[in-house]
Amino acid sequence: MPGTAGEATYAALLAEGRARLAALGEGARLEAELLLAHALERPRSHLLAWPQRIPKHAVVAHYRALLGARADGTPLAYLTGRREFWSLELEVTPHTLIPRPETERLVELALERLAPGARGAVADLGTGSGAIALALASERPGLILLATDRDPGTLRVARANAMRHNLANVTFAVADWCAPLASGQFTALVSNPPYVAPSDPHLEQGDLRFEPHAALVASDAGLADLRTIATGARRCLAPGGHLLLEHGYDQSGAVVELLVEAGYLDVADHRDHAGMPRVATARAP
Ligand code: GLN
């Protein structure tokens, strides 16, 4: 280890971090920089501009604790408390799923269906950090977003994110999927519900080990919540209203089938940017 705590330069600490995080491969350099920047409470550009600076002892201790936690698998987003989604920097906590790029595909598909200047109410069911609701609220200021979650603690994170980005067109409600929603009122319902099967081995790998089980896992091979939402949303959507559901890469056939069975029109399935089937769309009759 170069130097003793309190004497190592930024450059030496970054080299130490790259070595500690070597198992991350190409990501090691960036993650070491992000963790040192976080411990310093400075932007990454600061440490790249001043490689010979020596930070305070407490900063070095904090940085090394972060490296240790990251090396043990704690997701980067939970260590920094931040994740970028749709150009919004969001607070994330271990109560929330970490927003993923796949979910930006759902936002794109929703925006294609909600014209600029669109008015009306759109609900994001199981909002977590608020990612989908806040992205839509920022792009379509004429819409009123209702962001729901079953967990009041999670909803506090979403609310803080709305305030951080000055998004006044978002309201929040503790809710179990569609149950408390008004009938026939919604222009669109969107959701990234839990859809991982309880037996999926991915739950023992990577970030998923640290994310809230309730936000990831659904019974019935991951389809239980997708089914509940598809069925319940029919009542809440206005005639012609849009339903958009994120799902697992291998659930496209099952989700399309349950949307058709539930009586939706224009049922279609869309791939994400990695080429995997990911978002089902449909309209209420
Ligand atoms: N896309 C996540 C994953 O498999 C799962 C998110 C979810 O269940 N909604 O990593």
Side-chain angles (χ1 to χ4, degrees):
M1 214 169 276
T4 55
E7 289 172 10
T9 61
Y10 291 175
L13 289 165
L14 290 175
E16 177 187 332
R18 286 196 296 276
R20 192 78 206 272
L21 302 179
L24 297 173
E26 287 186 359
R29 171 184 297 271
L30 175 63
E31 295 209 17
E33 289 173 8
L34 290 168
L35 291 175
L36 182 54
H38 180 69
L40 284 161
E41 298 179 40
R42 299 278 199 152
R44 235 172 94 224
S45 55
H46 166 82
L47 40 107
L48 302 178
W50 305 101
Q52 297 313 315
R53 272 208 193 169
I54 294 172
K56 290 200 178 94
H57 189 99
V59 168
V60 176
H62 184 199
Y63 171 63
R64 288 186 171 144
L66 292 168
L67 287 178
R70 185 67 190 108
D72 288 341
T74 306
L76 180 73
Y78 289 159
L79 294 174
T80 61
R82 297 283 180 268
R83 174 53 51 97
E84 189 100 4
F85 181 85
W86 199 265
S87 81
L88 300 171
E89 192 185 66
L90 298 178
E91 177 191 349
V92 297
T93 78
H95 290 286
T96 66
L97 194 78
I98 300 165
R100 291 172 169 52
E102 305 71 301
T103 306
E104 294 181 334
R105 182 73 184 118
L106 187 153
V107 172
E108 282 175 5
L109 289 161
L111 293 174
E112 285 171 15
R113 287 158 177 75
L114 301 163
R119 304 204 159 262
V122 173
D124 172 18
L125 307 173
T127 195
S129 62
I132 300 172
L134 303 188
L136 294 178
S138 70
E139 295 285 343
R140 297 287 183 267
L143 293 174
I144 301 292
L145 269 295
L146 172 63
T148 75
D149 208 280
R150 204 163 39 187
D151 176 10
T154 303
L155 223 43
R156 277 195 286 277
V157 177
R159 196 187 294 273
N161 279 323
M163 288 176 71
R164 154 197 282 266
H165 292 288
N166 290 315
L167 294 168
N169 56 329
V170 195
T171 58
F172 299 87
V174 175
D176 195 5
W177 305 133
C178 307
L181 269 52
S183 293
Q185 298 297 312
F186 289 87
T187 306
L189 291 180
V190 298
S191 184
N192 172 20
Y195 55 67
V196 179
S199 59
D200 192 323
H202 291 105
L203 293 167
E204 309 305 323
Q205 297 165 20
D207 288 3
L208 274 69
R209 292 169 295 167
F210 294 84
E211 292 180 291
H213 207 71
L216 288 169
V217 179
S219 59
D220 188 14
L223 292 168
D225 293 302
L226 284 160
R227 178 173 289 113
T228 303
I229 296 167
T231 314
R234 269 293 304 276
R235 179 184 61 76
C236 308
L237 283 169
H242 298 279
L243 177 62
L244 294 96
L245 295 175
E246 182 172 326
H247 60 69
Y249 69 93
D250 55 355
Q251 293 170 329
S252 145
V255 174
V256 164
E257 192 177 307
L258 67 89
L259 289 169
V260 171
E261 271 173 21
Y264 287 93
L265 308 176
D266 301 339
V267 177
D269 199 66
H270 309 263
R271 290 174 187 270
D272 63 23
H273 297 301
M276 304 305 254
R278 187 64 65 193
V279 183
T281 58
R283 294 190 81 146

